[in-house]
């Protein structure tokens, strides 16, 4: 007879397992065939461990990173069957408002756990979960938040996900920092059609990690109720008890295809029969009946599940379609519609106010690096939730010295070094922001952001995908561009990538004062920001300015007119501003420094073009498909009749930045190149 004093509510496990199974059956047998659900992921076979784990949660900052097969867990932490079906039907009242796949889950805390916004990328849930785990430790230890004390984070994933960089980045974070994070690997033996033995040696990640430092490992059945419950209890007790992170591998069958379009033809009849024989619902009924439940009790729960799901289907079908007029809402924050979770706003805290009027306290000019450092120092002093981190950010003070001395002043909990994983740096930042902190990660050089592309894109779309329920306003400091020398790895700008990415604001200042104002605006804002620090600007004499004061904020989307003239409008940003200013000497030119490229000051540019009737755009990035093309297209579309000449661009050819100085000078826009283009266009 099963024990009933093990802390689990087995009736509730049975009830939700049957509801979850019935939801899958309804979708697979009816809603997918009739077109009401177009893309379905079944959790059949995965129910038991998820439901037991949910019962071990309940503290205010307990959280979970989930994936597309996590609906049983979602039901146990508060998702209703109506919401589940509405999400799969892409209805307005689903958890994403019809914007994301129905099983890409998110859920604010409803008494058991906050479910961090998932994505459709395999393994991308791990590093944000690690970031949340680090943040709750910070909230408890540094901010003195008693509700965060003793909270834990779960990170669910399938066996295929352990082959990805996100898993290993999070594993290293959790073990080196001894975070309260439990990895839950649901091993069904297949990643779509690829067997587990092709994901890790031997097909068993738990066995392979048995000697991993500072990691407790449990490995067992996810279908046998007694064994699963024992492992779940031991693993969650270990992590909640402050003994470090853990990994729980549970084996179970995947009783349906990977998704509704997968017929499992790659599995033999013998394999399919063996999987059906391991059905956890059959094992659960055998475990509970008779003893905890009578046969009549089990049958009543089955009838209840049928009725609950049938009613939920009627309710979900009656929910409205999303409003097409609102498809562009919540790409960026809306002051009158705050998100429920994430950043200062999600905590109900006011954003610090500043002024767009500079108030220098010293007429002496400082360089760009010193301006960045002073802003970070003043905002770290003002906001205890702000943290700076990245590779070499701590003791060394950053490879460009922008954080020099900050760790000594503010401590290793607030200014710290990370492992060499950009995926981990950005994913960690996302989890921290979701937990109410203001993370300021540094990517040493623009090119090094490439491994973090998945996390960066997911962060940018997070607010939109959750219909403004969650937001992760992180501020990513990112140096790059040419200096006295260049090379393909440290000299990339490629700002068009971020201008094109949904949900990111992008700052590209040319001088110390603008840099200070834009960085402070980003740190006090409510959207994710790429703050580009051009290497040629960091210590350039031209870029030095008096420090504009500790309250100076420069609004995004406000360009600067550096000179006014009637013959030509020149638009540029970053390190090209100085070159354009030198090239324009003696010419009657309106020179505009955009300062930010997302948003960009379209009205300022259009007004200038209507005055001068000619436009030259200069940027360091590759000309083909660069941001200058967007400006040109906008002007052609909205000010074509005001033009008295062709729109010209001076930019780089479609090659990487060379290491040889002469080659670099041959591909970058030079003062002579820019001057020649100006004169030719004026004479046109």
């Amino acid at each position: 007879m099963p024990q009933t004093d093990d802390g689990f509510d087995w009736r509730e496990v049975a009830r939700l397992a049957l509801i979850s199974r019935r939801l899958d059956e309804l979708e697979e047998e009816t809603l997918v065939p009739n077109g009401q659900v177009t893309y379905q992921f079944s959790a059949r076979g995965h129910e038991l461990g998820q439901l037991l784990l949910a019962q071990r949660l309940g503290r205010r900052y307990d959280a979970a990173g989930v994936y597309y097969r996590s609906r049983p867990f979602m039901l146990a932490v508060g998702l209703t069957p109506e919401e589940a079906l509405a999400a799969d039907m892409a209805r307005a009242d689903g958890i994403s408002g019809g914007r994301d796949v129905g099983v890409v889950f998110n859920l604010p805390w409803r008494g058991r756990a906050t479910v961090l916004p998932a994505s459709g990328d395999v393994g991308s849930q791990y590093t944000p979960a690690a970031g949340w785990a680090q943040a709750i430790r910070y909230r408890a230890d540094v901010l003195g938040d008693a509700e965060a004390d003793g909270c834990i984070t779960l990170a669910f994933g399938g066996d295929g996900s352990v082959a990805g960089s996100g898993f290993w980045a999070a594993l290293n974070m959790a073990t080196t920092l001894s975070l309260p994070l439990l990895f839950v690997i649901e091993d069904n033996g297949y990643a779509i059609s690829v067997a587990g033995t092709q994901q890790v040696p031997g097909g068993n990640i738990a066995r392979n990690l048995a000697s991993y430092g500072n990691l407790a490992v449990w490995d067992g059945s996810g279908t046998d109720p007694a064994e699963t419950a024992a492992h779940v209890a031991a693993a969650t007790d270990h992590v909640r008890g402050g003994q470090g992170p853990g990994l729980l591998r549970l084996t179970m069958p995947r009783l349906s295809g990977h998704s509704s379009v997968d017929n499992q033809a790659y599995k033999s009849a013998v394999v399919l029969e063996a999987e059906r024989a391991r059905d956890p619902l059959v094992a659960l009924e055998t475990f509970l009946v008779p003893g905890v439940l009578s046969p009549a009790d089990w049958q009543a729960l089955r009838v209840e599940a049928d009725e609950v799901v049938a009613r939920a289907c009627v309710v979900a079908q009656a929910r409205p379609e999303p409003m097409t007029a609102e498809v562009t809402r919540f790409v960026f924050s809306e002051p009158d519609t705050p998100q429920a979770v994430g950043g200062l706003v999600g905590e109900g805290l006011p954003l610090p106010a500043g002024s767009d009027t500079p108030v220098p306290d010293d007429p002496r000019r400082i360089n760009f690096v010193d301006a960045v450092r002073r802003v970070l120092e003043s905002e770290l002093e003002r906001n205890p939730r702000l943290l700076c981190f990245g590779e070499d950010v701590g003791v060394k003070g950053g490879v460009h010295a922008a954080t020099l001395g900050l760790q000594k002043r503010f401590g290793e909990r607030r200014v710290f070094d990370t492992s060499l994983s950009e995926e981990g740096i950005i994913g960690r930042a996302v989890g921290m922001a979701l937990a109410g902190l203001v993370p300021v990660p540094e990517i040493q050089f623009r090119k090094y952001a490439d491994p973090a592309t998945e996390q960066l894109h997911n962060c940018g779309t997070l607010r939109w995908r959750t219909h403004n329920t969650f937001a992760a306003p992180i501020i990513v400091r990112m140096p790059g561009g040419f200096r006295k020398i260049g090379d393909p790895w440290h000299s990339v700008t490629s700002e068009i990538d971020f201008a094109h990415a949904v949900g990111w604001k992008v700052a590209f200042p040319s001088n110390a004062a603008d840099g200070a104002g834009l960085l402070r605006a980003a740190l006090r804002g409510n959207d994710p920001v790429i703050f580009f620090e051009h290497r040629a600007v960091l210590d350039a004499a031209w870029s030095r300015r008096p420090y504009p004061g500790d309250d100076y904020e420069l609004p995004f989307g406000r360009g600067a007119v550096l000179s006014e003239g009637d013959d030509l409008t020149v638009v540029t940003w970053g390190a090209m501003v100085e070159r354009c200013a030198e090239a324009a000497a003696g010419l009657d030119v309106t020179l505009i420094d955009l300062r930010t490229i997302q948003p960009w000051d379209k009205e300022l540019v259009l007004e200038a073009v209507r005055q001068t009737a000619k436009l030259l755009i200069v940027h360091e990035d590759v000309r083909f498909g660069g941001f200058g093309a967007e400006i040109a297209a906008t002007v052609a579309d909205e000010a074509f009749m005001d033009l008295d000449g062709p729109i010209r661009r001076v930019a780089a050819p479609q090659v990487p930045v060379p290491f040889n100085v002469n080659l670099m000078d041959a591909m970058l826009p030079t003062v002579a190149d820019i001057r020649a283009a100006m004169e030719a266009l004026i004479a046109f």
Side-chain angles (χ1 to χ4, degrees), residues 131-144:
W132 180 282
Q134 185 174 353
I136 57 178
R137 180 71 60 77
Y138 181 87
R139 291 185 70 127
D141 297 347
V142 179
L143 300 181

Side-chain angles (χ1 to χ4, degrees), residues 106 114 128 160 166 249 435 481 504 551 567 623:
N106 69 84
T114 298
R249 173 181 176 258
W504 283 95
D551 282 316
D567 291 344
R623 183 178 189 271

Side-chain angles (χ1 to χ4, degrees), residues 560-566 568-570 580-581 584-585 587-593 608 612:
V561 178
L562 304 189
S563 66
E564 293 189 74
D566 294 326
L568 174 66
T569 295
V570 179
C580 286
L587 299 179
D588 197 17
V589 167
T590 293
L591 176 58
I592 294 175
D593 177 359
T612 66

Side-chain angles (χ1 to χ4, degrees), residues 11-185:
R11 177 182 288 272
E12 182 68 0
V13 171
R15 187 182 75 86
L16 290 175
L18 289 166
I19 289 174
S20 177
R21 182 63 62 88
R22 185 68 194 110
L23 285 169
D24 283 327
E25 291 170 347
L26 174 66
E27 289 174 341
E28 292 170 353
E29 297 168 7
T30 303
L31 299 181
V32 169
N34 69 19
Q36 290 184 273
V37 171
T38 55
Y39 201 23
Q40 192 261 355
F41 288 81
S42 176
R44 293 201 303 140
H46 284 241
E47 299 93 348
L48 183 59
Q50 294 184 29
L51 296 173
L52 291 169
L53 282 158
Q55 291 195 8
R56 303 291 291 184
L57 305 177
R59 298 194 186 184
R60 179 61 183 86
Y61 290 102
D62 284 349
V66 299
Y67 71 122
Y68 46 81
R69 229 171 293 286
S70 296
R71 190 160 65 184
F73 177 82
M74 295 298 301
L75 295 171
V77 298
L79 184 75
T80 67
E82 293 83 0
E83 289 173 319
L85 288 171
D88 265 358
M89 294 178 186
R91 298 304 171 92
D93 297 332
I95 54 176
S96 74
R99 296 172 175 220
D100 210 337
V101 178
V103 293
V104 178
F105 298 111
N106 69 84
L107 199 69
W109 195 75
R110 291 183 178 179
R112 280 244 169 100
T114 298
V115 178
L116 309 183
S119 74
D121 304 313
V122 174
S124 62
Q125 66 272 24
Y126 291 117
T127 52
W132 180 282
Q134 185 174 353
I136 57 178
R137 180 71 60 77
Y138 181 87
R139 291 185 70 127
D141 297 347
V142 179
L143 300 181
D145 187 343
E147 286 190 300
D149 191 32
C151 292
I152 66 174
T153 309
L154 307 183
F156 288 93
D159 50 287
S161 69
V162 303
S165 62
F167 171 77
W168 293 99
L171 187 66
N172 285 334
M173 279 190 276
T175 51
T176 56
L177 298 174
S178 196
L179 298 178
L181 177 62
L182 177 63
F183 296 87
V184 182
I185 306 305

Side-chain angles (χ1 to χ4, degrees), residues 292-604:
V292 174
L293 300 175
S294 68
D297 291 334
W298 182 269
Q299 181 58 28
L301 289 175
R302 186 180 293 279
V303 171
E304 178 188 348
D306 291 345
E307 293 174 346
V308 165
V309 172
R311 288 195 301 269
C313 187
V314 172
V315 172
Q317 289 170 328
R319 290 187 173 186
E321 291 285 327
M323 295 178 61
T324 56
E326 293 195 349
V327 69
T328 58
R329 284 196 72 188
F330 305 129
V331 171
F332 294 107
S333 61
E334 299 179 8
D336 296 332
T337 314
Q339 68 269 16
V341 182
L344 298 181
V345 171
E347 295 282 300
L349 299 173
L351 296 175
S355 169
D356 61 357
T357 301
V359 184
D361 57 4
D362 189 328
R364 290 175 296 182
R365 304 193 313 160
I366 64 172
N367 67 17
F368 192 99
V369 171
D370 287 341
V372 167
R373 188 188 306 114
R374 287 190 63 171
V375 171
L376 292 175
E377 185 175 27
S378 67
E379 294 303 304
L380 281 162
E381 183 71 37
R382 184 190 303 262
N383 183 2
R385 292 171 179 255
L386 194 150
L387 300 91
C388 299
F389 52 91
E391 298 158 13
D392 301 310
V393 163
V395 176
K396 182 177 175 65
V399 294
H400 300 103
T403 57
L404 189 65
L406 296 184
Q407 186 182 87
K408 184 176 181 180
R409 177 172 178 185
F410 295 101
E412 295 182 14
R413 300 296 294 271
R414 301 195 63 198
V415 182
F416 56 89
D417 293 321
T418 68
S419 56
L420 205 161
S421 167
E422 283 74 23
E423 149 86 22
I425 291 170
I426 300 302
R428 176 201 316 244
V430 170
M432 286 181 161
L434 292 172
L437 303 183
V438 181
V440 189
E442 177 186 298
I443 301 296
Q444 277 191 355
F445 296 95
R446 159 66 189 90
K447 181 69 173 64
Y448 295 176
D450 289 356
T453 299
E454 184 173 85
Q455 291 294 341
L456 288 164
H457 282 292
N458 291 346
C459 177
T461 62
L462 192 150
R463 182 191 299 274
W464 184 89
R465 288 186 292 110
T466 65
H467 204 237
N468 200 43
T469 301
F470 288 81
I474 70 176
I475 303 91
V476 184
R477 295 181 41 250
M478 191 180 298
F482 73 93
R483 208 165 185 176
K484 293 180 181 179
I485 60 172
D487 67 72
W489 316 110
H490 302 86
S491 305
V492 175
T493 57
S494 193
E495 63 269 22
I496 187 60
D497 293 343
F498 300 116
H500 190 260
V502 174
W504 283 95
K505 291 186 174 180
V506 183
F508 209 140
S510 67
N511 62 74
D514 288 353
L518 288 169
L519 180 56
R520 182 170 287 106
L523 296 173
R524 297 181 179 186
N526 192 29
D527 290 292
V529 173
I530 300 292
F531 183 80
F532 201 92
E533 301 170 5
H534 199 290
R535 294 199 302 152
V537 170
L538 295 179
D539 192 33
W542 184 91
S543 298
R544 297 185 180 199
R545 302 285 191 278
Y547 181 67
D550 285 343
D551 282 316
Y552 179 59
E553 295 182 40
L554 180 58
F556 277 60
R558 182 189 293 180
V561 178
L562 304 189
S563 66
E564 293 189 74
D566 294 326
D567 291 344
L568 174 66
T569 295
V570 179
V571 177
T572 188
W573 55 91
M576 290 295 110
V577 177
E578 178 183 0
R579 294 192 174 191
C580 286
E582 184 178 346
L587 299 179
D588 197 17
V589 167
T590 293
L591 176 58
I592 294 175
D593 177 359
L594 281 186
R595 304 197 285 202
T596 67
I597 61 171
Q598 181 57 277
W600 64 285
D601 198 339
K602 181 178 75 170
E603 294 307 319
L604 179 65

Side-chain angles (χ1 to χ4, degrees), residues 268-279:
S268 69
V270 173
V271 169
L272 291 170
E273 181 58 33
E275 288 184 331
R276 285 191 289 269
R278 296 169 56 220
D279 188 336

